[in-house]
Amino acid sequence: MTSLVKRIGLPLAVVACTVVLAGCNDSSKPAAAANTSGTSNASGGADTHSAIYLSECQAMVKIFTDSSLPASAKDPEKVISNFKNGPGWSTLSSQQQVDAVAGIRKAATGSCG
């Protein structure tokens, strides 16, 4: 079972990194606008309207609601830990990191709304 968790945990981390990095390069929304919507506090300082928050949440909610994955692979704190240890984490600003973590935690609730 441990090897199954490792095999699923790594792909989840890769998916999370890919989604975050894709959100960083979202040309349809200016970077300044993504971080100035002013909605924070409810998610520990996260901007719940930022591109990273929304892209993380939308991508991860699909994974967390996938009944074919074991429960251990859907632990948001494990996903966050793997993500923080990944290569893309250090390239994010501190606000982007807060937003990404909040998006993953929100996805664990089953909804991004």
Side-chain angles (χ1 to χ4, degrees):
M1 184 67 169
T2 303
S3 63
L4 178 62
V5 171
K6 287 181 182 177
R7 288 188 302 199
I8 291 175
L10 182 59
L12 285 177
V14 170
V15 167
C17 288
T18 303
V19 169
V20 166
L21 293 176
C24 289
N25 294 323
D26 185 5
S27 61
S28 66
K29 192 176 209 181
N35 290 324
T36 60
S37 64
T39 357
S40 45
N41 299 343
S43 298
D47 178 355
T48 58
H49 289 91
S50 75
I52 289 178
Y53 175 92
L54 294 171
S55 64
E56 276 300 309
C57 188
Q58 291 166 353
M60 295 308 294
V61 79
K62 294 174 186 172
I63 292 169
F64 290 145
T65 58
D66 185 344
S67 61
S68 68
L69 295 175
S72 59
K74 297 188 245 180
D75 178 354
E77 297 310 314
K78 286 183 181 178
V79 171
I80 291 166
S81 176
N82 287 335
F83 183 47
K84 286 181 177 181
N85 292 322
W89 183 254
S90 63
T91 64
L92 300 175
S93 71
S94 59
Q95 183 62 50
Q96 289 172 323
Q97 291 173 348
V98 168
D99 294 350
V101 167
I104 292 169
R105 287 185 176 137
K106 180 63 178 172
T109 68
S111 169
C112 294

